[in-house]
Amino acid sequence: MENNSLARALFERSVLKLDWATRYKICVGIARGLTFLHEESTIMIVHRDIKATNVLLDGNLNAKISDFGLAKLNEGENTHISTRIAGTIGYMAPEYALWGYLTDKADVYSFGVVTLEIVSGKNNSNYRPDDTCTCLLDWAFVLQQKGSLMELVDPNLGTEFNEKEAERMIKVALLCTNASSKLRPTMSAALRMLEGQDIIPEVISDPSIYGKDMRISPLRDHYQHMEMQSSIGSLAPNFSSDGAQVGSSSSSAQDLH
């Protein structure tokens, strides 16, 4: 793609500066792509590795979901897929990261994380505002409880952003990253909320239901312990924490909207 990845645009400021209108367009584009994968495609697909490096940008800065190397078919008759864990730390839903319980709500969770990154311009795994917050998502939950969600908006934007759109994006992101998968919306519902067609329900996520397992470092320790205990290589989880591909093959970008 002409403009490389969303990660490069967001986290390497000297390369490409995204104004607010472009960020909003990219977020809506990702939501439309995932809605197609989950609900509109003939073959229903769970991507499993939605992150900023797997969203490519074309010449007009339209979002293209790429790299389907970890994707799983979502068979309608099954409530979930029990599968070997593979993905990227910081983007994996807790029920999938801890127990291999996979549904399309895992992609919804990852989309929520990416949405926070788009709003803030910060990488979820690398951003630590203070010693009490493990990541960007952790900080967002704190600001939600304080009623200070606008502090999440990238300061490099100054006042050049649409506050109503920003508030919608943040609230949808927090809803999508709810610790309980049942409380997360479908992607089509998230898309309608982003576009202002549906009201965003006021649901406060409680990360404490998973205790320390919700945090990145313990998740990494959890996986490493599983790898040490496993005597069968195929049972060991495959994951990364640096944004690199994990257990996936390279794939061309897909225009899904």
Side-chain angles (χ1 to χ4, degrees), residues 24 115 150 162-174 192-198 200:
Y24 178 72
T115 298
M150 288 301 105
N162 185 311
E163 188 169 336
K164 288 185 178 180
E165 288 178 351
E167 183 177 12
R168 285 205 305 268
M169 284 178 65
I170 295 169
K171 287 185 174 180
V172 168
L174 291 173
R192 291 193 299 271
M193 294 175 201
L194 279 175
E195 295 181 323
Q197 298 176 31
D198 287 355
I200 304 170

Side-chain angles (χ1 to χ4, degrees), residues 75 101 145 213 254:
E75 299 176 3
Y101 187 101
Q145 293 179 351
D213 288 330
Q254 302 295 313

Side-chain angles (χ1 to χ4, degrees), residues 4 41 74 82 88 92 141 143 164 181 196 202 211 213 222 233 246:
N4 206 278
S41 171
N74 188 6
S82 293
T88 305
M92 288 188 288
F141 286 136
L143 293 180
K164 288 185 178 180
S181 61
E202 295 289 338
D213 288 330
H222 171 76
V246 182

Side-chain angles (χ1 to χ4, degrees), residues 22-44:
T22 302
R23 295 187 194 211
Y24 178 72
K25 179 180 77 168
I26 289 170
C27 185
V28 170
I30 299 169
R32 286 176 179 162
L34 285 173
T35 297
F36 174 79
L37 286 178
H38 292 177
E39 304 172 36
E40 299 169 2
S41 171
T42 303
I43 303 174
M44 303 303 179

Side-chain angles (χ1 to χ4, degrees), residues 22-244:
T22 302
R23 295 187 194 211
Y24 178 72
K25 179 180 77 168
I26 289 170
C27 185
V28 170
I30 299 169
R32 286 176 179 162
L34 285 173
T35 297
F36 174 79
L37 286 178
H38 292 177
E39 304 172 36
E40 299 169 2
S41 171
T42 303
I43 303 174
M44 303 303 179
I45 296 172
V46 181
H47 186 280
R48 272 211 301 175
D49 202 22
I50 294 297
K51 56 185 177 181
T53 52
N54 283 343
V55 175
L56 304 184
L57 304 175
D58 69 8
N60 296 316
L61 296 174
N62 294 307
K64 312 289 182 179
I65 297 173
S66 71
D67 197 341
F68 286 76
L70 295 183
K72 289 283 188 181
L73 298 184
N74 188 6
E75 299 176 3
E77 65 271 16
N78 296 328
T79 58
H80 73 282
I81 305 168
S82 293
T83 182
R84 175 180 176 226
I85 300 166
T88 305
I89 289 179
Y91 297 89
M92 288 188 288
E95 73 279 358
Y96 170 57
L98 296 174
W99 302 297
Y101 187 101
L102 180 67
T103 69
D104 55 9
K105 294 296 184 71
D107 282 351
V108 173
Y109 182 95
S110 303
F111 168 76
V113 174
V114 172
T115 298
L116 287 177
E117 293 182 329
I118 293 172
V119 171
S120 66
K122 298 176 177 65
N123 182 285
N124 182 51
S125 299
N126 297 336
Y127 181 68
R128 292 174 178 81
D130 55 47
D131 293 337
T132 64
C133 293
T134 309
C135 58
L136 176 63
L137 179 57
D138 206 4
W139 186 47
F141 286 136
V142 171
L143 293 180
Q144 181 186 38
Q145 293 179 351
K146 290 182 176 179
S148 306
L149 289 179
M150 288 301 105
E151 289 185 34
L152 281 165
V153 179
D154 191 342
N156 290 299
L157 290 170
T159 59
E160 300 298 318
F161 69 94
N162 185 311
E163 188 169 336
K164 288 185 178 180
E165 288 178 351
E167 183 177 12
R168 285 205 305 268
M169 284 178 65
I170 295 169
K171 287 185 174 180
V172 168
L174 291 173
L175 187 62
C176 288
T177 52
N178 198 290
S180 171
S181 61
K182 291 183 178 180
L183 294 180
R184 293 176 213 148
T186 61
M187 277 311 310
S188 58
L191 176 60
R192 291 193 299 271
M193 294 175 201
L194 279 175
E195 295 181 323
Q197 298 176 31
D198 287 355
I199 296 174
I200 304 170
E202 295 289 338
V203 178
I204 302 296
S205 184
D206 181 13
S208 66
I209 68 171
Y210 291 112
K212 291 184 178 180
D213 288 330
M214 279 292 291
R215 299 179 181 275
I216 292 175
S217 294
L219 274 176
R220 185 185 295 114
D221 295 341
H222 171 76
Y223 293 143
Q224 290 173 347
H225 175 72
M226 288 176 65
E227 286 180 323
M228 291 176 63
Q229 294 297 315
S230 176
S231 58
I232 304 176
S234 62
L235 296 180
N238 195 358
F239 67 98
S240 74
S241 59
D242 57 4

Side-chain angles (χ1 to χ4, degrees), residues 3-20:
N3 284 302
N4 206 278
S5 71
L6 175 60
R8 190 169 183 230
L10 285 175
F11 310 138
E12 299 178 31
R13 300 308 177 90
S14 61
V15 177
L16 184 66
K17 294 182 179 179
L18 301 178
D19 61 20
W20 177 258

